[in-house]
Short mmCIF file of all heavy atoms in Angstrom, two decimals:
data_model
loop_
_atom_site.label_atom_id
_atom_site.label_comp_id
_atom_site.label_asym_id
_atom_site.label_seq_id
_atom_site.Cartn_x
_atom_site.Cartn_y
_atom_site.Cartn_z
N MET A 1 -32.04 17.85 67.59
CA MET A 1 -33.20 18.67 67.89
C MET A 1 -34.35 17.75 68.29
O MET A 1 -34.65 16.78 67.62
CB MET A 1 -33.59 19.49 66.66
CG MET A 1 -34.85 20.29 66.87
SD MET A 1 -35.52 21.20 65.45
CE MET A 1 -34.18 21.64 64.45
N SER A 2 -34.97 18.05 69.40
CA SER A 2 -36.11 17.25 69.83
C SER A 2 -37.36 17.74 69.11
O SER A 2 -37.38 18.82 68.52
CB SER A 2 -36.30 17.36 71.35
OG SER A 2 -36.81 18.63 71.68
N LEU A 3 -38.41 16.94 69.17
CA LEU A 3 -39.65 17.31 68.50
C LEU A 3 -40.22 18.62 69.04
O LEU A 3 -40.77 19.41 68.29
CB LEU A 3 -40.70 16.20 68.65
CG LEU A 3 -40.56 15.01 67.74
CD1 LEU A 3 -41.65 13.99 68.01
CD2 LEU A 3 -40.59 15.41 66.29
N ASN A 4 -40.08 18.86 70.34
CA ASN A 4 -40.62 20.09 70.92
C ASN A 4 -39.90 21.34 70.43
O ASN A 4 -40.44 22.43 70.52
CB ASN A 4 -40.58 20.01 72.45
CG ASN A 4 -41.55 19.00 72.98
OD1 ASN A 4 -42.58 18.73 72.36
ND2 ASN A 4 -41.24 18.41 74.11
N GLU A 5 -38.68 21.19 69.90
CA GLU A 5 -37.92 22.32 69.38
C GLU A 5 -38.15 22.51 67.88
O GLU A 5 -37.76 23.53 67.32
CB GLU A 5 -36.43 22.11 69.63
CG GLU A 5 -36.07 22.07 71.09
CD GLU A 5 -34.63 21.64 71.32
OE1 GLU A 5 -33.98 21.18 70.37
OE2 GLU A 5 -34.17 21.76 72.46
N ASP A 6 -38.76 21.53 67.23
CA ASP A 6 -38.99 21.58 65.79
C ASP A 6 -40.19 22.50 65.50
O ASP A 6 -41.30 22.23 65.92
CB ASP A 6 -39.27 20.16 65.28
CG ASP A 6 -39.45 20.10 63.78
OD1 ASP A 6 -39.24 21.12 63.10
OD2 ASP A 6 -39.83 19.02 63.28
N PRO A 7 -39.97 23.61 64.75
CA PRO A 7 -41.06 24.55 64.52
C PRO A 7 -42.24 23.96 63.74
O PRO A 7 -43.39 24.31 63.98
CB PRO A 7 -40.40 25.69 63.75
CG PRO A 7 -39.09 25.20 63.30
CD PRO A 7 -38.72 24.03 64.17
N THR A 8 -41.96 23.05 62.81
CA THR A 8 -43.04 22.41 62.06
C THR A 8 -43.89 21.55 62.98
O THR A 8 -45.12 21.59 62.94
CB THR A 8 -42.47 21.56 60.91
OG1 THR A 8 -41.67 22.39 60.08
CG2 THR A 8 -43.58 20.93 60.09
N TYR A 9 -43.24 20.78 63.83
CA TYR A 9 -43.97 19.94 64.78
C TYR A 9 -44.79 20.79 65.75
O TYR A 9 -45.94 20.48 66.03
CB TYR A 9 -43.00 19.05 65.56
CG TYR A 9 -43.69 18.22 66.61
CD1 TYR A 9 -44.37 17.05 66.25
CD2 TYR A 9 -43.69 18.59 67.95
CE1 TYR A 9 -45.02 16.29 67.21
CE2 TYR A 9 -44.34 17.84 68.91
CZ TYR A 9 -45.00 16.69 68.53
OH TYR A 9 -45.65 15.94 69.48
N THR A 10 -44.20 21.88 66.22
CA THR A 10 -44.89 22.77 67.15
C THR A 10 -46.15 23.34 66.52
O THR A 10 -47.22 23.37 67.13
CB THR A 10 -43.95 23.91 67.60
OG1 THR A 10 -42.77 23.33 68.16
CG2 THR A 10 -44.61 24.80 68.63
N LYS A 11 -46.04 23.79 65.26
CA LYS A 11 -47.20 24.34 64.54
C LYS A 11 -48.25 23.25 64.31
O LYS A 11 -49.45 23.47 64.51
CB LYS A 11 -46.74 24.95 63.21
CG LYS A 11 -47.84 25.53 62.38
CD LYS A 11 -48.42 26.76 63.03
CE LYS A 11 -49.41 27.43 62.10
NZ LYS A 11 -50.09 28.54 62.72
N LEU A 12 -47.80 22.09 63.88
CA LEU A 12 -48.71 20.97 63.64
C LEU A 12 -49.44 20.57 64.92
O LEU A 12 -50.65 20.34 64.92
CB LEU A 12 -47.92 19.79 63.07
CG LEU A 12 -48.68 18.57 62.60
CD1 LEU A 12 -49.69 18.93 61.53
CD2 LEU A 12 -47.71 17.53 62.08
N LYS A 13 -48.71 20.53 66.02
CA LYS A 13 -49.30 20.16 67.30
C LYS A 13 -50.33 21.20 67.74
O LYS A 13 -51.41 20.84 68.22
CB LYS A 13 -48.21 20.02 68.36
CG LYS A 13 -48.75 19.51 69.68
CD LYS A 13 -47.63 19.26 70.66
CE LYS A 13 -48.19 18.77 71.98
NZ LYS A 13 -47.15 18.56 72.96
N SER A 14 -50.02 22.48 67.56
CA SER A 14 -50.98 23.52 67.96
C SER A 14 -52.24 23.46 67.11
O SER A 14 -53.35 23.64 67.62
CB SER A 14 -50.34 24.91 67.90
OG SER A 14 -50.09 25.31 66.58
N LEU A 15 -52.10 23.19 65.82
CA LEU A 15 -53.27 23.05 64.95
C LEU A 15 -54.09 21.81 65.33
O LEU A 15 -55.33 21.84 65.33
CB LEU A 15 -52.85 22.97 63.49
CG LEU A 15 -52.39 24.28 62.85
CD1 LEU A 15 -51.80 24.02 61.47
CD2 LEU A 15 -53.54 25.26 62.77
N ALA A 16 -53.40 20.72 65.65
CA ALA A 16 -54.09 19.49 66.05
C ALA A 16 -54.87 19.69 67.35
O ALA A 16 -55.96 19.14 67.52
CB ALA A 16 -53.10 18.35 66.19
N GLU A 17 -54.31 20.48 68.26
CA GLU A 17 -55.01 20.76 69.52
C GLU A 17 -56.19 21.71 69.28
O GLU A 17 -57.22 21.60 69.93
CB GLU A 17 -54.05 21.37 70.53
CG GLU A 17 -53.05 20.37 71.05
CD GLU A 17 -51.92 20.98 71.88
OE1 GLU A 17 -51.82 22.23 71.94
OE2 GLU A 17 -51.14 20.21 72.46
N LYS A 18 -56.04 22.62 68.31
CA LYS A 18 -57.10 23.58 68.01
C LYS A 18 -58.26 22.90 67.28
O LYS A 18 -59.42 23.29 67.45
CB LYS A 18 -56.52 24.70 67.14
CG LYS A 18 -57.49 25.83 66.86
CD LYS A 18 -56.80 26.96 66.10
CE LYS A 18 -57.76 28.10 65.85
NZ LYS A 18 -57.12 29.19 65.10
N TYR A 19 -57.97 21.92 66.44
CA TYR A 19 -58.98 21.22 65.64
C TYR A 19 -58.94 19.71 65.92
O TYR A 19 -58.55 18.93 65.06
CB TYR A 19 -58.75 21.47 64.15
CG TYR A 19 -58.77 22.93 63.78
CD1 TYR A 19 -57.59 23.61 63.49
CD2 TYR A 19 -59.97 23.63 63.74
CE1 TYR A 19 -57.60 24.96 63.16
CE2 TYR A 19 -60.00 24.98 63.39
CZ TYR A 19 -58.81 25.63 63.11
OH TYR A 19 -58.83 26.97 62.79
N PRO A 20 -59.36 19.28 67.11
CA PRO A 20 -59.29 17.85 67.44
C PRO A 20 -60.20 16.98 66.58
O PRO A 20 -59.98 15.77 66.49
CB PRO A 20 -59.70 17.81 68.92
CG PRO A 20 -60.49 19.04 69.13
CD PRO A 20 -59.93 20.07 68.19
N GLU A 21 -61.19 17.58 65.93
CA GLU A 21 -62.10 16.80 65.09
C GLU A 21 -61.50 16.49 63.72
O GLU A 21 -62.04 15.67 62.97
CB GLU A 21 -63.43 17.55 64.92
CG GLU A 21 -63.38 18.79 64.05
CD GLU A 21 -62.78 20.03 64.70
OE1 GLU A 21 -62.44 20.02 65.90
OE2 GLU A 21 -62.64 21.04 63.99
N ASN A 22 -60.39 17.12 63.37
CA ASN A 22 -59.75 16.92 62.07
C ASN A 22 -58.88 15.67 62.13
O ASN A 22 -57.74 15.69 62.59
CB ASN A 22 -58.92 18.16 61.71
CG ASN A 22 -58.37 18.09 60.31
OD1 ASN A 22 -57.99 17.03 59.82
ND2 ASN A 22 -58.31 19.23 59.65
N ILE A 23 -59.44 14.56 61.65
CA ILE A 23 -58.76 13.26 61.73
C ILE A 23 -57.45 13.26 60.94
O ILE A 23 -56.44 12.75 61.42
CB ILE A 23 -59.69 12.13 61.20
CG1 ILE A 23 -60.99 12.08 61.99
CG2 ILE A 23 -58.97 10.79 61.23
CD1 ILE A 23 -60.83 11.77 63.45
N LEU A 24 -57.46 13.85 59.74
CA LEU A 24 -56.25 13.85 58.93
C LEU A 24 -55.12 14.62 59.63
O LEU A 24 -53.97 14.18 59.64
CB LEU A 24 -56.53 14.45 57.55
CG LEU A 24 -55.39 14.38 56.55
CD1 LEU A 24 -54.93 12.94 56.34
CD2 LEU A 24 -55.81 14.99 55.23
N LEU A 25 -55.45 15.72 60.25
CA LEU A 25 -54.47 16.50 61.00
C LEU A 25 -53.93 15.71 62.18
O LEU A 25 -52.73 15.71 62.45
CB LEU A 25 -55.11 17.81 61.47
CG LEU A 25 -54.21 18.88 62.02
CD1 LEU A 25 -53.11 19.26 61.04
CD2 LEU A 25 -55.03 20.11 62.39
N GLN A 26 -54.80 14.99 62.87
CA GLN A 26 -54.38 14.16 64.00
C GLN A 26 -53.43 13.06 63.54
O GLN A 26 -52.42 12.76 64.20
CB GLN A 26 -55.60 13.54 64.71
CG GLN A 26 -56.59 14.54 65.24
CD GLN A 26 -56.00 15.51 66.24
OE1 GLN A 26 -55.17 15.14 67.06
NE2 GLN A 26 -56.41 16.76 66.17
N LEU A 27 -53.74 12.45 62.41
CA LEU A 27 -52.90 11.37 61.89
C LEU A 27 -51.56 11.91 61.38
O LEU A 27 -50.53 11.27 61.53
CB LEU A 27 -53.63 10.61 60.80
CG LEU A 27 -54.83 9.80 61.29
CD1 LEU A 27 -55.62 9.24 60.11
CD2 LEU A 27 -54.39 8.69 62.22
N LYS A 28 -51.59 13.09 60.77
CA LYS A 28 -50.34 13.71 60.31
C LYS A 28 -49.42 13.96 61.50
O LYS A 28 -48.21 13.71 61.43
CB LYS A 28 -50.66 15.01 59.57
CG LYS A 28 -49.47 15.74 59.02
CD LYS A 28 -48.92 15.10 57.78
CE LYS A 28 -47.83 15.98 57.20
NZ LYS A 28 -47.10 15.35 56.15
N LEU A 29 -49.99 14.42 62.60
CA LEU A 29 -49.20 14.63 63.82
C LEU A 29 -48.65 13.30 64.34
O LEU A 29 -47.49 13.21 64.73
CB LEU A 29 -50.06 15.31 64.89
CG LEU A 29 -49.37 15.56 66.23
CD1 LEU A 29 -48.21 16.54 66.08
CD2 LEU A 29 -50.37 16.10 67.24
N LYS A 30 -49.48 12.28 64.30
CA LYS A 30 -49.08 10.96 64.81
C LYS A 30 -47.88 10.40 64.03
O LYS A 30 -46.97 9.82 64.61
CB LYS A 30 -50.27 10.00 64.70
CG LYS A 30 -49.98 8.59 65.14
CD LYS A 30 -51.22 7.73 65.00
CE LYS A 30 -50.96 6.28 65.32
NZ LYS A 30 -52.17 5.46 65.14
N TYR A 31 -47.89 10.58 62.71
CA TYR A 31 -46.84 10.00 61.86
C TYR A 31 -45.73 10.99 61.51
O TYR A 31 -44.82 10.65 60.76
CB TYR A 31 -47.45 9.45 60.57
CG TYR A 31 -48.28 8.22 60.82
CD1 TYR A 31 -49.67 8.26 60.74
CD2 TYR A 31 -47.68 7.02 61.17
CE1 TYR A 31 -50.43 7.14 60.99
CE2 TYR A 31 -48.43 5.89 61.41
CZ TYR A 31 -49.81 5.96 61.32
OH TYR A 31 -50.55 4.84 61.57
N TYR A 32 -45.78 12.21 62.04
CA TYR A 32 -44.77 13.22 61.71
C TYR A 32 -43.38 12.79 62.14
O TYR A 32 -43.17 12.32 63.25
CB TYR A 32 -45.12 14.57 62.37
CG TYR A 32 -44.06 15.61 62.12
CD1 TYR A 32 -44.01 16.26 60.89
CD2 TYR A 32 -43.11 15.92 63.08
CE1 TYR A 32 -43.03 17.20 60.63
CE2 TYR A 32 -42.13 16.87 62.83
CZ TYR A 32 -42.09 17.50 61.61
OH TYR A 32 -41.11 18.42 61.35
N ARG A 33 -42.44 12.96 61.24
CA ARG A 33 -41.02 12.71 61.54
C ARG A 33 -40.24 13.93 61.07
O ARG A 33 -40.43 14.39 59.95
CB ARG A 33 -40.51 11.47 60.82
CG ARG A 33 -41.20 10.18 61.23
CD ARG A 33 -40.87 9.83 62.67
NE ARG A 33 -41.55 8.64 63.09
CZ ARG A 33 -42.69 8.61 63.77
NH1 ARG A 33 -43.30 9.72 64.08
NH2 ARG A 33 -43.24 7.48 64.12
N PRO A 34 -39.37 14.46 61.90
CA PRO A 34 -38.62 15.66 61.52
C PRO A 34 -37.57 15.37 60.44
O PRO A 34 -37.14 14.25 60.27
CB PRO A 34 -37.94 16.08 62.82
CG PRO A 34 -37.82 14.82 63.61
CD PRO A 34 -39.01 13.98 63.23
N TYR A 35 -37.18 16.43 59.76
CA TYR A 35 -36.10 16.35 58.80
C TYR A 35 -34.79 16.44 59.58
O TYR A 35 -34.74 17.20 60.53
CB TYR A 35 -36.21 17.49 57.79
CG TYR A 35 -35.28 17.33 56.61
CD1 TYR A 35 -35.63 16.49 55.59
CD2 TYR A 35 -34.07 17.99 56.58
CE1 TYR A 35 -34.78 16.31 54.52
CE2 TYR A 35 -33.21 17.81 55.51
CZ TYR A 35 -33.57 16.97 54.48
OH TYR A 35 -32.72 16.78 53.44
N PRO A 36 -33.76 15.76 59.33
CA PRO A 36 -33.53 14.90 58.18
C PRO A 36 -34.36 13.62 58.25
O PRO A 36 -34.70 13.16 59.33
CB PRO A 36 -32.04 14.57 58.26
CG PRO A 36 -31.66 14.77 59.66
CD PRO A 36 -32.60 15.79 60.22
N PRO A 37 -34.66 13.11 57.08
CA PRO A 37 -35.58 11.98 57.02
C PRO A 37 -35.10 10.77 57.81
O PRO A 37 -33.91 10.52 57.92
CB PRO A 37 -35.67 11.64 55.54
CG PRO A 37 -34.69 12.48 54.83
CD PRO A 37 -34.16 13.50 55.78
N THR A 38 -36.05 10.07 58.34
CA THR A 38 -35.75 8.85 59.11
C THR A 38 -36.11 7.63 58.28
O THR A 38 -36.44 6.59 58.81
CB THR A 38 -36.56 8.85 60.42
OG1 THR A 38 -37.94 8.96 60.10
CG2 THR A 38 -36.15 9.97 61.33
N GLY A 39 -36.06 7.80 56.96
CA GLY A 39 -36.43 6.71 56.07
C GLY A 39 -37.90 6.78 55.66
O GLY A 39 -38.37 5.96 54.90
N ILE A 40 -38.62 7.78 56.17
CA ILE A 40 -40.03 7.95 55.83
C ILE A 40 -40.19 9.33 55.21
O ILE A 40 -39.91 10.34 55.85
CB ILE A 40 -40.93 7.84 57.08
CG1 ILE A 40 -40.75 6.49 57.75
CG2 ILE A 40 -42.38 8.06 56.70
CD1 ILE A 40 -41.48 6.38 59.08
N SER A 41 -40.64 9.38 53.95
CA SER A 41 -40.81 10.67 53.29
C SER A 41 -42.14 11.30 53.71
O SER A 41 -43.01 10.65 54.28
CB SER A 41 -40.79 10.49 51.77
OG SER A 41 -41.99 9.85 51.34
N ASP A 42 -42.29 12.58 53.41
CA ASP A 42 -43.56 13.27 53.69
C ASP A 42 -44.71 12.60 52.96
O ASP A 42 -45.82 12.50 53.48
CB ASP A 42 -43.48 14.74 53.28
CG ASP A 42 -42.64 15.57 54.22
OD1 ASP A 42 -42.35 15.09 55.35
OD2 ASP A 42 -42.27 16.69 53.85
N ASP A 43 -44.46 12.15 51.73
CA ASP A 43 -45.50 11.47 50.96
C ASP A 43 -45.91 10.17 51.65
O ASP A 43 -47.09 9.83 51.68
CB ASP A 43 -45.02 11.17 49.54
CG ASP A 43 -44.89 12.43 48.70
OD1 ASP A 43 -45.54 13.43 49.03
OD2 ASP A 43 -44.14 12.39 47.70
N ASP A 44 -44.93 9.45 52.20
CA ASP A 44 -45.25 8.22 52.93
C ASP A 44 -46.08 8.51 54.17
O ASP A 44 -47.00 7.77 54.50
CB ASP A 44 -43.97 7.47 53.32
CG ASP A 44 -43.22 6.90 52.13
OD1 ASP A 44 -43.85 6.72 51.06
OD2 ASP A 44 -42.01 6.65 52.27
N VAL A 45 -45.74 9.59 54.86
CA VAL A 45 -46.49 9.97 56.05
C VAL A 45 -47.92 10.31 55.67
O VAL A 45 -48.87 9.86 56.32
CB VAL A 45 -45.81 11.16 56.77
CG1 VAL A 45 -46.70 11.72 57.86
CG2 VAL A 45 -44.48 10.74 57.35
N LEU A 46 -48.09 11.10 54.61
CA LEU A 46 -49.43 11.46 54.15
C LEU A 46 -50.20 10.22 53.71
O LEU A 46 -51.37 10.05 54.04
CB LEU A 46 -49.34 12.47 53.01
CG LEU A 46 -50.66 12.94 52.43
CD1 LEU A 46 -51.52 13.60 53.51
CD2 LEU A 46 -50.42 13.91 51.29
N TYR A 47 -49.53 9.33 52.98
CA TYR A 47 -50.17 8.09 52.53
C TYR A 47 -50.66 7.26 53.72
O TYR A 47 -51.80 6.78 53.73
CB TYR A 47 -49.19 7.27 51.69
CG TYR A 47 -49.71 5.90 51.33
CD1 TYR A 47 -50.67 5.75 50.34
CD2 TYR A 47 -49.26 4.77 52.00
CE1 TYR A 47 -51.17 4.49 50.03
CE2 TYR A 47 -49.75 3.52 51.70
CZ TYR A 47 -50.70 3.38 50.70
OH TYR A 47 -51.19 2.14 50.42
N GLU A 48 -49.83 7.10 54.75
CA GLU A 48 -50.22 6.33 55.93
C GLU A 48 -51.40 6.98 56.64
O GLU A 48 -52.32 6.30 57.10
CB GLU A 48 -49.04 6.17 56.89
CG GLU A 48 -47.97 5.23 56.40
CD GLU A 48 -48.46 3.81 56.16
OE1 GLU A 48 -49.29 3.32 56.95
OE2 GLU A 48 -48.02 3.20 55.18
N ALA A 49 -51.39 8.31 56.75
CA ALA A 49 -52.49 9.02 57.40
C ALA A 49 -53.79 8.85 56.62
O ALA A 49 -54.84 8.57 57.21
CB ALA A 49 -52.15 10.49 57.55
N LEU A 50 -53.72 8.99 55.30
CA LEU A 50 -54.92 8.82 54.47
C LEU A 50 -55.42 7.37 54.51
O LEU A 50 -56.62 7.12 54.58
CB LEU A 50 -54.64 9.24 53.03
CG LEU A 50 -54.50 10.74 52.79
CD1 LEU A 50 -53.98 11.00 51.38
CD2 LEU A 50 -55.84 11.43 53.01
N LYS A 51 -54.48 6.43 54.47
CA LYS A 51 -54.84 5.02 54.51
C LYS A 51 -55.56 4.70 55.81
O LYS A 51 -56.60 4.04 55.81
CB LYS A 51 -53.58 4.16 54.37
CG LYS A 51 -53.87 2.68 54.24
CD LYS A 51 -52.60 1.93 53.83
CE LYS A 51 -51.85 1.55 55.07
NZ LYS A 51 -50.71 0.66 54.81
N GLU A 52 -55.04 5.19 56.92
CA GLU A 52 -55.68 4.94 58.21
C GLU A 52 -57.03 5.62 58.29
O GLU A 52 -58.00 5.06 58.82
CB GLU A 52 -54.78 5.43 59.34
CG GLU A 52 -55.30 5.03 60.70
CD GLU A 52 -54.31 5.26 61.82
OE1 GLU A 52 -53.09 5.13 61.59
OE2 GLU A 52 -54.77 5.58 62.92
N LYS A 53 -57.14 6.84 57.74
CA LYS A 53 -58.41 7.56 57.79
C LYS A 53 -59.50 6.84 57.01
O LYS A 53 -60.63 6.70 57.48
CB LYS A 53 -58.24 8.97 57.23
CG LYS A 53 -59.54 9.75 57.23
CD LYS A 53 -59.39 11.14 56.70
CE LYS A 53 -60.72 11.85 56.73
NZ LYS A 53 -60.67 13.17 56.15
N TYR A 54 -59.19 6.36 55.81
CA TYR A 54 -60.22 5.78 54.96
C TYR A 54 -60.38 4.27 55.08
O TYR A 54 -61.31 3.70 54.52
CB TYR A 54 -59.96 6.18 53.50
CG TYR A 54 -60.20 7.64 53.27
CD1 TYR A 54 -59.16 8.53 53.09
CD2 TYR A 54 -61.50 8.15 53.30
CE1 TYR A 54 -59.38 9.89 52.92
CE2 TYR A 54 -61.74 9.49 53.12
CZ TYR A 54 -60.69 10.35 52.93
OH TYR A 54 -60.92 11.70 52.76
N ASN A 55 -59.51 3.62 55.83
CA ASN A 55 -59.65 2.17 56.03
C ASN A 55 -60.37 1.85 57.33
O ASN A 55 -60.26 0.76 57.84
CB ASN A 55 -58.28 1.48 56.00
CG ASN A 55 -57.78 1.33 54.59
OD1 ASN A 55 -58.54 1.35 53.64
ND2 ASN A 55 -56.47 1.18 54.45
N ARG A 56 -61.06 2.79 57.89
CA ARG A 56 -61.78 2.56 59.15
C ARG A 56 -63.09 1.90 58.88
O ARG A 56 -63.75 2.01 57.97
CB ARG A 56 -62.00 3.88 59.88
CG ARG A 56 -60.70 4.39 60.38
CD ARG A 56 -60.90 5.68 61.13
NE ARG A 56 -59.59 6.08 61.60
CZ ARG A 56 -59.31 6.39 62.83
NH1 ARG A 56 -60.22 6.39 63.74
NH2 ARG A 56 -58.10 6.71 63.18
#
């Protein structure tokens, strides 16, 4: 399944386009990986997004 067919990615992308000022949402989209896991858990993705947001 490609990312464009993944319903979670599609929803996340539409929200990111609707709220471009939401940095955390933009970073979540940037680091999103579909299930089955690619070695990166959802918690790791959230951690990376938060780390990037607050380490600016």
Side-chain angles (χ1 to χ4, degrees):
M1 176 185 330
S2 73
L3 281 179
N4 291 331
E5 296 171 349
D6 183 7
T8 303
Y9 176 79
T10 304
K11 179 68 173 175
L12 187 58
K13 186 175 179 182
S14 70
L15 285 171
E17 289 170 352
K18 185 175 181 181
Y19 302 105
E21 71 283 356
N22 187 324
I23 302 297
L24 187 57
L25 192 55
Q26 301 301 322
L27 292 172
K28 181 75 173 170
L29 178 64
K30 178 180 175 181
Y31 290 107
Y32 176 78
R33 297 293 178 263
Y35 191 80
T38 57
I40 301 173
S41 72
D42 287 344
D43 290 338
D44 292 339
V45 170
L46 180 59
Y47 173 77
E48 288 300 321
L50 288 170
K51 187 169 88 172
E52 188 169 327
K53 178 179 180 184
Y54 290 107
N55 282 339
R56 291 181 179 232

